[in-house]
Amino acid sequence: MNTVERIVAKRVHDPEAIAEAAAARVRAKSPFNDKGAAMIIAADHPARGANAVGSDPLAMADRGELLERLCLALERPGVTGVLATPDIVDDLLLLGALEGKTVIGSMNRTGLAGSSFEIDDRFACYDAETIARMRFDGGKTLTRICLDDPATPSILENTAKAVNDLAEKKLIAMVEPFLSAWVDGKVKNDLSPEAVIRSITIASGLGRSSAYTWLKLPVVADMERVLAASTLPAVLLGGEVKDPDAAFAAWQKALALPTVQGLVVGRSLLYPHDGDVAKAVDTAVGLL
């Protein structure tokens, strides 16, 4: 019985196995590896309809292949956890792939890629109550701040609510802010240092307490000045990488800054240009 058949059999005949696996799972002692850094694999892209990697528009749409790549990545030394939506986390629980790993639940995915309502990114995946009940470690929000879109205040308000709910349960609230704009009918994130600084200062102030808030931030130019905008712990996101060597060099430089706690990387490690997942993950871990 292959991976997909095993999962489907459990989902059909024993759906309680997911909750049982979560209850029995050995939790991570901390988000960090023995080098004192977090190395989290991100896999929440498909739930937003963002299945493309490079020139392949459906690269992440084969769930069996995605799970195989995820399991391989999670097995590599130094990898500390995963960030994903409930469907993928449930699959990984059934496969026993999350023992001793940090689990960050993705909370808002309704801002579908390429849609006319992309900024109106409502919270329809994990909530803080479920994350706590499943014995996970935190929740992640994508918080795009679009000054010309009237949906932005509700996104900020709901992000603040998620920060509050997670903080009350002493769980990490991982906020991924962008200053975004509509350009030719598409949402574009402004990755200039000034825009990222502005997004950081806005996101840092959301919620009644910042005690459990972490920032998930892109690596852009002038990161020393960018990260001086907040004292909140930060993890660096990977995004889609066209030049692996340049990306790894930029990550390594940014990792030396005092607020940076590690990496949260998805497509560039799960679907590297040369197809070697283990090598890509090991290279990223080596930067830590």
Side-chain angles (χ1 to χ4, degrees):
M1 188 179 292
N2 65 29
T3 298
V4 171
E5 289 173 337
R6 287 164 53 201
I7 292 171
V8 173
K10 282 289 186 181
R11 286 185 174 277
V12 172
H13 301 293
D14 188 14
E16 288 299 315
I18 294 170
E20 292 167 1
R25 183 181 70 93
V26 175
R27 296 185 65 176
K29 294 180 180 178
S30 89
F32 307 114
N33 59 22
D34 58 4
K35 302 297 183 183
M39 179 69 236
I40 296 173
I41 306 298
D44 61 343
H45 314 82
R48 207 168 60 84
N51 293 301
V53 179
S55 61
D56 185 350
L58 294 175
M60 299 187 76
D62 185 323
R63 183 53 54 89
E65 180 184 354
L66 173 58
L67 290 171
E68 289 177 3
R69 291 170 181 264
L70 274 169
C71 288
L72 176 57
L74 288 166
E75 289 172 354
R76 302 308 300 171
V79 172
T80 62
V82 68
L83 186 165
T85 47
D87 56 329
I88 291 176
V89 172
D90 291 348
D91 285 344
L92 293 171
L93 284 170
L94 291 174
L95 293 172
L98 298 179
E99 296 300 307
K101 301 297 183 184
T102 297
V103 180
I104 305 294
S106 190
M107 302 177 79
N108 61 323
R109 296 277 86 187
T110 67
L112 303 183
S115 68
S116 62
F117 49 86
E118 190 166 347
I119 292 297
D120 192 5
D121 201 353
R122 303 178 189 184
F123 285 65
C125 294
Y126 279 115
D127 56 24
E129 181 180 354
T130 302
I131 290 168
R133 186 178 70 249
M134 298 287 278
R135 303 168 61 247
F136 298 154
D137 304 280
K140 172 252 184 176
T141 80
L142 174 60
T143 304
R144 286 173 292 191
I145 303 157
C146 186
L147 301 182
D148 57 0
D149 193 305
T152 295
S154 68
I155 295 304
L156 296 175
E157 182 180 28
N158 285 316
T159 298
K161 183 179 185 302
V163 169
N164 292 339
D165 291 346
L166 289 164
E168 286 176 359
K169 298 179 184 301
K170 300 182 179 180
L171 297 169
I172 293 170
M174 189 176 288
V175 180
E176 180 179 1
F178 288 101
L179 205 67
S180 305
W182 286 101
V183 180
D184 298 327
K186 295 183 178 180
V187 175
K188 300 290 185 182
N189 296 327
D190 187 341
L191 298 181
S192 67
E194 293 74 18
V196 178
I197 288 170
R198 193 175 185 188
S199 74
I200 288 172
T201 59
I202 293 168
S204 297
L206 296 174
R208 291 189 294 266
S209 169
S210 64
Y212 293 89
T213 305
W214 289 28
L215 299 174
K216 180 172 180 271
L217 300 172
V219 178
V220 299
D222 205 1
M223 282 299 283
E224 185 171 359
R225 181 164 66 100
V226 168
L227 289 174
S230 176
T231 57
L232 296 183
V235 287
L236 307 176
L237 65 91
E240 189 162 359
V241 170
K242 295 181 179 179
D243 184 342
D245 291 338
F248 287 143
W251 295 349
Q252 186 170 37
K253 185 177 180 180
L255 282 164
L257 297 172
T259 60
V260 178
Q261 306 302 308
L263 297 169
V264 179
V265 185
R267 286 170 292 184
S268 59
L269 300 185
L270 295 173
Y271 296 86
H273 291 284
D274 62 4
D276 191 336
V277 175
K279 177 184 174 184
V281 173
D282 291 347
T283 300
V285 170
L287 301 177
L288 304 175

